[in-house]
Amino acid sequence: MPDLIAYGGKTPQIDDTAFVAPGCRLIGDVTIDAESSVWYNCVLRGDVNRITIGARTNIQDGSVIHVDSPRSGCEAGLPTIIGDDVLIGHLVMLHGSVLHDRAFVGLGSIVMDGCTIESDGMLAAGAMLTPGKVIRAGELWVGRPAKKLRDMSADEIAANRLGAAHYVMLAKAHRAALSG
């Protein structure tokens, strides 16, 4: 089962319909909404700020999500806020960033402090989004450091949107397999 660790008076809050796989560690101020999934061996550490995950979002295996502390010039610090129907690939690292509904972060990518990925924006596999960058709605960014490659086609956006529904179904199957 996952490790749910209270920290600083906060305990992870997980909707009853969400799936958090065995081997995960959720620490502190972490909220996970309905039908979202956090896959095997992820770490979500909301110790010095909050992590919020919307509905039907998936955080795939081995990903690490953290936040940034409040400090001079950034009194609120940088929470990590993830919207609904977001796809986050295997081994992704997110730190103090905002992902709007239907954002997509490809496997092995890094999203650094103060970054935003707008709705239907995509960071390609293996890319690194450096601090403060914004991927606008419908853009595809690639590379290390990441730069805009092009706007995505309607077909590509539609295909990405199907991914969230797929992971909702897959999470239900894993939950059933683990409880059986």
Side-chain angles (χ1 to χ4, degrees):
M1 291 292 95
D3 290 330
L4 305 179
I5 302 167
Y7 183 89
K10 305 271 184 165
T11 302
Q13 302 296 308
I14 303 166
D15 186 275
D16 290 340
T17 63
F19 171 71
V20 180
C24 290
R25 294 199 172 169
L26 280 56
I27 301 115
D29 195 356
V30 176
T31 303
I32 301 173
D33 248 348
E35 296 187 302
S36 285
S37 55
V38 180
W39 292 85
Y40 303 91
N41 300 315
C42 290
V43 175
L44 283 64
R45 183 160 55 101
D47 54 352
V48 296
N49 216 315
R50 75 189 187 285
I51 297 170
T52 304
I53 298 170
R56 298 169 308 282
T57 286
N58 71 86
I59 315 294
Q60 295 172 26
D61 311 68
S63 292
V64 175
I65 301 176
H66 194 229
V67 294
D68 198 27
S69 301
R71 64 184 181 288
S72 178
C74 187
E75 283 70 21
L78 295 170
T80 295
I81 309 297
I82 302 169
D84 298 338
D85 302 301
V86 174
L87 300 169
I88 298 174
H90 308 284
L91 298 172
V92 164
M93 185 177 302
L94 301 177
H95 201 274
S97 50
V98 176
L99 280 62
H100 292 214
D101 296 347
R102 300 177 313 280
F104 188 125
V105 180
L107 60 91
S109 294
I110 299 171
V111 179
M112 298 177 75
D113 288 346
C115 289
T116 299
I117 301 177
E118 293 181 354
S119 296
D120 295 312
M122 181 175 178
L123 181 64
M128 181 174 65
L129 197 60
T130 54
K133 295 289 191 270
V134 177
I135 297 177
R136 300 283 176 211
E139 292 180 346
L140 171 62
W141 285 45
V142 302
R144 283 188 181 234
K147 297 196 180 330
K148 181 181 175 183
L149 178 65
R150 60 179 170 80
D151 290 331
M152 296 176 61
S153 71
D155 287 344
E156 289 171 321
I157 290 171
N160 284 351
R161 288 183 179 187
L162 292 175
H166 166 74
Y167 270 93
V168 169
M169 299 301 293
L170 192 58
K172 288 177 182 177
H174 276 256
R175 180 193 301 265
L178 289 167
S179 65

